[in-house]
Amino acid sequence: MSTLFVDNLKPNLETGIHAPGHIIAVYQFTASEQTISSATNLINATFTPKFSGSKFFVHFTIPNITLTAGNYYEARAYIGVSATPTSNQQVIYTRTSGQGTGASNTQTLSASDFGTYTCPNTNTHYVSLVATPESSAATARHSSIVKLQLMEVAQ
């Protein structure tokens, strides 16, 4: 068995290292506290994939949601090349039910996906998080932060 020692690894032609199965880029996007009562783009951000054909791990957390007990709160994540979220591929759909509107009725909604979307090119892409409550909902209450993480995985 041989041992390879390397002090510095630099890609040829400055294109980046393409190692299938490895994370080659990580992005994080955020949104602040807000009250919403209809479909709202909490996050609609741009990124540029490093390689065509990459897949993505997407994760979001919407903390401290309050809304009328029993009313629904939906969240959907989209990835694609359109600036209009619903024109892109939906990669996550999740839904919860409100527990009340009091300061102590908060709940967190979190979801993940890997591999649903494969990027067709290295043009500008959009990742979006759209929330839709059945009634007025405090989102990221108590000055919390909504976070969406996106990891590009080489194929």
Side-chain angles (χ1 to χ4, degrees):
M1 178 177 281
S2 300
T3 302
L4 175 64
F5 295 95
V6 177
D7 291 324
N8 188 14
L9 184 59
K10 184 175 180 182
N12 188 25
L13 302 176
E14 301 298 324
T15 58
I17 297 172
H18 187 269
H22 288 87
I23 296 170
I24 52 179
V26 177
Y27 308 92
Q28 178 168 281
F29 307 101
T30 61
S32 58
E33 179 178 355
Q34 56 192 292
T35 298
I36 63 174
S37 56
S38 61
T40 301
N41 294 336
L42 298 178
I43 294 170
N44 192 25
T46 62
F47 69 97
T48 304
K50 303 290 186 202
F51 298 103
S52 177
S54 293
K55 292 193 176 290
F56 295 87
F57 174 80
V58 183
H59 177 83
F60 68 77
T61 301
I62 305 172
N64 295 351
I65 301 165
T66 58
L67 74 156
T68 303
N71 286 2
Y72 69 80
Y73 187 101
E74 296 178 344
R76 299 169 193 258
Y78 300 89
I79 303 178
V81 295
S82 173
T84 304
T86 55
S87 295
N88 292 323
Q89 184 170 356
Q90 180 180 295
V91 294
I92 298 174
Y93 167 76
T94 189
R95 181 175 173 151
T96 191
S97 181
Q99 297 180 13
T101 58
S104 63
N105 295 124
T106 61
Q107 59 183 323
T108 295
L109 187 58
S110 185
S112 300
D113 173 76
F114 173 71
T116 298
Y117 181 77
T118 302
C119 71
N121 55 50
T122 57
N123 296 340
T124 298
H125 276 60
Y126 293 82
V127 61
S128 305
L129 177 57
V130 179
T132 306
E134 185 175 4
S135 60
S136 181
T139 300
R141 190 171 176 172
H142 308 301
S143 301
S144 296
I145 302 293
V146 175
K147 293 183 180 179
L148 185 149
Q149 291 93 16
L150 180 69
M151 297 181 200
E152 182 176 354
V153 180
Q155 299 301 298

